[in-house]
Amino acid sequence: MPWTRSRDRAAADPRDRPAGPPSGAPAGSRRVERGFFEDYPRFFETSETSSFPWRLHLRHEAIFTEYADLFPGARVLDIASHDGRWSLAALQAGAASVVGVEARPELVANATANLAAYDLAERAEFVAGDVFEVLERDRPAVDVVLCLGFLYHTLRHTELLTRIRQTGARHVVIDTELHRSPEAVVRLADEHVEREGNAVADAFSYGDTVLTGRPTLAALELIARTQGYAVERLSDWDGLLRDNPDADQVRDYRIGRRATLLLSTSESRSR
Ligand SMILES: C[S@@+](CC[C@H](N)C(=O)[O-])C[C@H]1O[C@@H](n2cnc3c(N)ncnc32)[C@H](O)[C@@H]1O
């Protein structure tokens, strides 16, 4: 595949496997012949954060192919919208509108330019600001929340899930690093604010460092449950990685240190 630069090191430990169950998809059915972002190559240039082709293409599969039925006609909130990569994908999946919230103004500028370049600016709005402040202030009403690549850049998980619940969203797609343990624990780490993909300083941080927490899957399930959400499904990274053996820059998914999953409210689960 032309996108492959170097092959990920194969998982050495047999316990290293994706966080979800073994794939039930027929062999070959998750093969990606043409990645979504091949039609939107600006996104390979407008971010310094994991904008590798295979990684973006497979994440797109894990989010928008797996949960395709959520998007037609939906109002979408994209938390930590970065350069607009997933806001654009939501609109192309049929969303009626998308609001992106992103703390770094230069990334908001990139997102705005990207959506305009692909003629999708009309249905997109990007707000520059801290997601906790913006959600408390603006109280957007949406159907679907995308929380992609953000949960492990904060320790304020309960506050985040509270704000998400207050949007009225019945579905939340989360893509996150996970700490690997069966226990419901959150592993702490400090993170420097200089890096583009990291947390920004907020009212609870001191100096250049923000305290963050990486939940286990059990912890995430518990945090979500206390706000009325349950894990409906984990994306089929096992099938995606099996059928795309050339894929690189996805080792975190391969060894279960990262997952994509769908949270839903109890009303929507009993549809
Ligand atoms: C790892 S990147 C994820 C980008 C994109 N959502 C994705 O999954 O590919 C994390 C993003 O969160 C943004 N961010 C960090 N802290 C934030 C905050 N408090 N409010 C809003 N955005 C924040 C960063 O600027 C960065 O764009």
Side-chain angles (χ1 to χ4, degrees), residues 59 80 82 85-86 102-104 130-131 148-150 153 197-198:
R59 290 182 73 203
H82 206 66
R85 49 175 69 151
W86 305 123
E102 166 57 52
R104 290 186 163 84
D130 177 292
V131 67
L148 311 174
F150 180 68
H153 291 299
N198 280 1

Side-chain angles (χ1 to χ4, degrees), residues 47-52 56 59 82 85 195-198:
S47 163
E48 293 164 12
T49 309
S50 300
S51 50
F52 307 110
L56 289 181
R59 290 182 73 203
H82 206 66
R85 49 175 69 151
R195 276 190 61 193
E196 183 202 76
N198 280 1

Side-chain angles (χ1 to χ4, degrees), residues 35-145:
F36 176 81
F37 286 97
E38 285 191 73
D39 289 332
Y40 306 100
R42 287 177 64 99
F43 291 102
F44 301 135
E45 310 296 332
T46 55
S47 163
E48 293 164 12
T49 309
S50 300
S51 50
F52 307 110
W54 266 117
R55 187 173 178 88
L56 289 181
H57 297 326
L58 290 191
R59 290 182 73 203
H60 181 271
E61 290 292 315
I63 300 161
F64 292 96
T65 301
E66 301 225 7
Y67 309 124
D69 58 324
L70 300 184
F71 294 98
R75 298 162 300 168
V76 174
L77 169 67
D78 182 6
I79 288 175
S81 47
H82 206 66
D83 61 352
R85 49 175 69 151
W86 305 123
S87 297
L88 176 136
L91 292 175
Q92 291 302 54
S97 61
V98 62
V99 176
V101 182
E102 166 57 52
R104 290 186 163 84
E106 64 276 18
L107 287 169
V108 170
N110 289 358
T112 305
N114 284 339
L115 277 274
Y118 294 122
D119 282 335
L120 287 164
E122 261 178 32
R123 288 185 286 145
E125 178 193 353
F126 293 101
V127 181
D130 177 292
V131 67
F132 297 99
E133 292 175 11
V134 172
L135 294 187
E136 183 184 11
R137 183 191 69 209
D138 295 358
R139 302 293 178 115
V142 299
D143 306 300
V144 177
V145 172

Side-chain angles (χ1 to χ4, degrees), residues 17-32 57-67 173-175 232-244 253-254 258-262:
R17 46 163 293 107
S23 180
S29 63
R30 303 308 313 269
R31 177 78 187 149
V32 176
H57 297 326
L58 290 191
R59 290 182 73 203
H60 181 271
E61 290 292 315
I63 300 161
F64 292 96
T65 301
E66 301 225 7
Y67 309 124
V173 182
I174 296 186
D175 180 90
E232 185 164 336
R233 196 145 71 78
L234 276 98
S235 297
D236 180 19
W237 276 98
D238 189 45
L240 286 170
L241 294 167
R242 176 198 64 199
D243 289 350
N244 298 283
Y253 294 100
R254 201 184 294 286
R258 187 162 178 136
T260 312
L261 54 93
L262 175 64

